[in-house]
Amino acid sequence: MPCSAVTLSLATISAIIAVALLAIAFSTDNWQSYEVKRNNIQTFIAKHPDAASLTDSFNNRLIYYTRTRGLFRYCYPKERPPASSVQIYLSPVETHCSNIDYFPASDENKESDAYSDDIMTRLHLARSVIAAFILSFVVIFCAFWTGLSGCWKRSAGAITATAILMLTACLLAAGAMGLWHTVEFFEKEKVVGEEYYQQWNSVLRDNTRLSYDWSYIVAWAGVACSLLASILLSGAAVCLRGEREKEEQLNLQYLMPVYPQKQPPYPYGGFPQPQLYPQPYYHGSQYGPYNY
């Protein structure tokens, strides 16, 4: 009993933490941080008055502003680009953000046929990241019910199924992280759009610092906790099987064999007790006391 109870408690805590971390990472906007040194770029523009195109981009394009990036939004903790260049709104945490467009083909000014293979591959990979995270949450939801049933019935089979589901959720979340890094690779190494690193000019590259932010770290921590929960649930299932076998062995000691008894039954009130070996039916001579 202590083995399964302790292991199940630790597994439940790990699973709750995993769900919370994955949900926080999925919904927040701090996966990557782009710190743009606008003062240095402005100084460069002042020294090169002929850089008219750079001046226009510096004032209107979002890539010249310090920002954080999530799965759904860009947010601007300092200065924000003008509303004429991008639609800005207040996020639920009161920061100015703009949405990431996962369906650019719906734009009237763009045609999907004009996109290169790298652009379309990067777009499909970015969509797959969202889909993989959603699937992981669905699997965790299923694991909640199987785990609840297993704890209620103390069923090793249900706990094993819960461990498998948590492992599946872990693999889906880890796969989503791998796809996210693949998207990052395309943005840095392939020509997939002017707003990404590969097509930045040298001035912007030299004055921008890219780094992973806390949402990215929280996502990997959620993957690790879901894996730990799966391992602990597997251990709890093993403990439950061992405890069930011990209980069955203890119950066998109280099962006494029953053999048929050769003794006469107990007498009943008002009736003579039968004898095992009755006396002879005739006593003495059959002719009584007379002896011929």
Side-chain angles (χ1 to χ4, degrees):
M1 184 68 70
C3 174
S4 61
V6 172
T7 311
L8 278 175
S9 299
L10 293 176
T12 303
I13 294 171
S14 299
I16 293 173
I17 293 174
V19 174
L21 292 177
L22 290 174
I24 290 171
F26 184 73
S27 59
T28 52
D29 308 306
N30 295 84
W31 284 66
Q32 275 185 318
S33 176
Y34 299 80
E35 184 179 353
V36 181
K37 300 176 182 178
R38 287 177 57 84
N39 292 333
N40 294 350
I41 298 176
Q42 196 167 12
T43 301
F44 178 86
I45 293 174
K47 292 181 179 179
H48 300 80
D50 56 336
S53 60
L54 181 59
T55 303
D56 182 67
S57 299
F58 177 78
N59 293 323
N60 296 313
R61 296 185 63 185
L62 64 87
I63 59 176
Y64 285 87
Y65 289 83
T66 297
R67 61 200 180 279
T68 60
R69 176 184 177 184
L71 296 179
F72 302 99
R73 292 182 290 267
Y74 285 107
C75 292
Y76 309 94
K78 298 179 181 179
E79 301 177 66
R80 59 183 184 272
S84 58
S85 61
V86 63
Q87 185 177 0
I88 304 294
Y89 64 93
L90 282 176
S91 70
V93 293
E94 299 295 325
T95 55
H96 292 88
C97 301
S98 61
N99 288 329
I100 296 176
D101 189 7
Y102 284 105
F103 298 94
S106 62
D107 192 344
E108 296 179 357
N109 299 323
K110 296 180 180 179
E111 296 292 338
S112 60
D113 295 338
Y115 295 153
S116 66
D117 292 339
D118 288 338
I119 292 176
M120 293 307 298
T121 301
R122 181 237 162 234
L123 185 60
H124 291 314
L125 288 171
R127 294 170 180 171
S128 299
V129 173
I130 307 299
F133 271 117
I134 292 174
L135 283 176
S136 69
F137 287 123
V138 171
V139 172
I140 290 174
F141 179 76
C142 297
F144 168 78
W145 293 107
T146 58
L148 187 64
S149 173
C151 291
W152 181 263
K153 299 179 180 179
R154 296 188 71 245
S155 170
I159 298 299
T160 302
T162 307
I164 294 173
L165 288 173
M166 285 301 299
L167 180 60
T168 304
C170 172
L171 294 176
L172 285 170
M177 296 298 295
L179 291 172
W180 186 85
H181 278 287
T182 307
V183 172
E184 183 188 24
F185 170 80
F186 269 77
E187 293 174 355
K188 289 184 176 180
E189 303 297 334
K190 304 290 184 178
V191 178
V192 292
E194 296 180 355
E195 65 270 27
Y196 301 116
Y197 183 84
Q198 181 64 27
Q199 293 180 258
W200 290 356
N201 57 54
S202 59
V203 178
L204 182 59
R205 288 187 184 183
D206 295 338
N207 292 281
T208 301
R209 185 173 68 88
L210 281 72
S211 60
Y212 297 119
D213 215 336
W214 61 267
S215 296
Y216 169 83
I217 299 172
V218 167
W220 275 118
V223 172
C225 287
S226 60
L227 177 61
L228 178 62
S230 175
I231 294 172
L232 289 173
L233 286 168
S234 300
V238 173
C239 289
L240 283 174
R241 288 192 182 93
E243 291 169 3
R244 182 66 58 84
E245 292 176 358
K246 289 182 180 179
E247 290 177 0
E248 292 176 354
Q249 291 176 359
L250 289 175
N251 293 333
L252 286 175
Q253 297 178 1
Y254 297 99
L255 296 177
M256 302 298 294
V258 179
Y259 299 102
Q261 302 294 325
K262 294 184 178 180
Q263 61 186 9
Y266 292 101
Y268 298 94
F271 297 94
Q273 180 180 0
Q275 296 182 1
L276 186 59
Y277 302 102
Q279 298 295 328
Y281 182 75
Y282 298 105
H283 300 277
S285 173
Q286 58 180 337
Y287 299 105
Y290 302 97
N291 190 6
Y292 294 98

